[in-house]
Amino acid sequence: MTDERVSANGGMETSFGFREVGAGEKQPLVNDVFHKVAKRYDIMNDVMSAGLHRVWKDAMIAALNPPRREGYRVLDVAGGTGDIAFRIVEASARHAHATVLDINGSMLAVGAERARKKGLSANLDFVEANAEDLPFAANSFDAYTIAFGIRNVPRIDVALKEAHRVLKRGGRLLVLEFSEVEMPLLDRFYDAWSFNAIPKFGKLITGDDAPYQYLVESIRKFPNQRDFAAMIKNAGFSRVSFTNYTGGIAALHSGWKI
């Protein structure tokens, strides 16, 4: 299998990194990756982004700009450790309520414990479920966020349609994801860092380089900015746009349910 990116027409369903897997096989493999790294997830993101993920996440919350009022409800998907949800709650002066959804119980356990220590448990729910089949009624949330998680969902198109379904009219989708570097020279440096350094650091941190190898490869398979924006439009969203961060290493995608 090559490292060529999939298009807006799909292909991530059977792509476990650069390895082709059968229908239905990807999700258990991805689950195993995150069970292995759950307790070191923040360190993993530091390694993957050279620490920049913290700046990008802050920019994501600034773009969301959650209001400081009661009743604002956010669904944060693939956010098991609570990193995005905590930022949203704090940015709203602890008025917002965030539901953190993840398919991985190990990640959720880490998030729930962190929420307790931060005194944020009253503002948060932790739900173990699949992004492709959300256990919520239509028109339930004011915002749907997902950071560095959409590329691990096998059927991305289905997940995006579910996002559209559970959002209220006027609700906003924000997706932060590693993307295609569009700055000359930086792309070569980032490739060298990703494929040579990241797995080695991963092995030092966790004793296993396989999860990091998958994560690096999954970034290279994920649709580029324009193709992913097309997928968001196809799911029914309007006013779709994206903003590159650090030359396209990551991108923030936005869409509205109108």
Side-chain angles (χ1 to χ4, degrees):
M1 184 173 184
T2 71
D3 60 350
E4 292 179 358
R5 293 182 183 275
V6 304
S7 71
N9 296 322
M12 294 294 283
E13 303 90 339
T14 56
S15 168
F16 182 70
F18 293 165
R19 177 157 63 98
E20 188 76 17
V21 297
E25 293 181 4
K26 178 176 179 175
Q27 191 65 69
L29 291 169
V30 171
N31 291 350
D32 185 58
V33 166
F34 285 94
H35 280 304
K36 290 178 179 177
V37 302
K39 292 183 179 180
R40 298 178 177 87
Y41 184 67
D42 288 336
I43 297 175
M44 181 194 75
N45 278 333
D46 281 327
V47 171
M48 297 287 291
S49 69
L52 286 169
H53 74 101
R54 301 174 189 275
V55 177
W56 300 334
K57 288 173 180 175
D58 287 343
M60 180 185 193
I61 305 309
L64 180 64
N65 191 24
R68 298 188 173 195
R69 62 171 173 80
E70 301 293 336
Y72 185 76
R73 297 187 64 204
V74 180
L75 176 62
D76 183 46
V77 176
T81 62
D83 210 20
I84 294 297
F86 298 158
R87 282 173 162 84
I88 292 171
V89 170
E90 295 289 15
S92 73
R94 301 199 174 194
H95 290 299
H97 187 92
T99 296
V100 181
L101 182 139
D102 205 297
I103 200 170
N104 191 294
S106 297
M107 299 283 283
L108 290 167
V110 172
E113 177 62 16
R114 290 180 66 197
R116 185 188 65 78
K117 290 179 178 178
K118 289 176 177 288
L120 294 175
S121 296
N123 295 84
L124 297 159
D125 292 320
F126 290 85
V127 177
E128 186 172 347
N130 193 322
E132 297 176 6
D133 186 19
L134 298 175
F136 308 111
N139 308 306
S140 294
F141 296 95
D142 297 287
Y144 176 117
T145 58
I146 181 168
F148 306 117
I150 194 71
R151 75 181 189 282
N152 299 309
V153 177
R155 297 185 297 168
I156 294 172
D157 57 334
V158 174
L160 290 173
K161 289 176 182 176
E162 276 289 270
H164 189 274
R165 180 183 69 81
V166 301
L167 279 171
K168 299 175 184 177
R169 292 289 175 186
R172 190 179 188 186
L173 168 77
L174 281 177
V175 182
L176 178 62
E177 189 53 86
F178 290 108
S179 200
E180 185 173 62
V181 179
E182 297 186 337
M183 186 178 294
L185 299 181
L186 179 61
D187 56 346
R188 295 183 183 180
F189 170 80
Y190 188 60
D191 276 346
W193 167 257
S194 297
F195 289 100
N196 297 321
I198 288 177
K200 291 177 182 177
F201 277 114
K203 189 167 186 177
L204 286 173
I205 294 166
T206 66
D208 186 0
D209 61 353
Y212 291 82
Q213 188 67 38
Y214 157 71
L215 291 165
V216 168
E217 292 176 1
S218 68
I219 291 169
R220 294 306 183 279
K221 294 298 295 184
F222 189 71
N224 67 25
Q225 292 89 322
R226 289 155 191 81
D227 281 341
F228 185 57
M231 294 181 75
I232 294 173
K233 289 180 182 178
N234 290 340
F237 287 95
S238 301
R239 294 168 57 193
V240 175
S241 64
F242 67 84
T243 301
N244 280 336
Y245 294 153
T246 318
I249 292 178
L252 179 66
H253 288 261
S254 173
W256 297 82
K257 180 176 178 178
I258 296 176

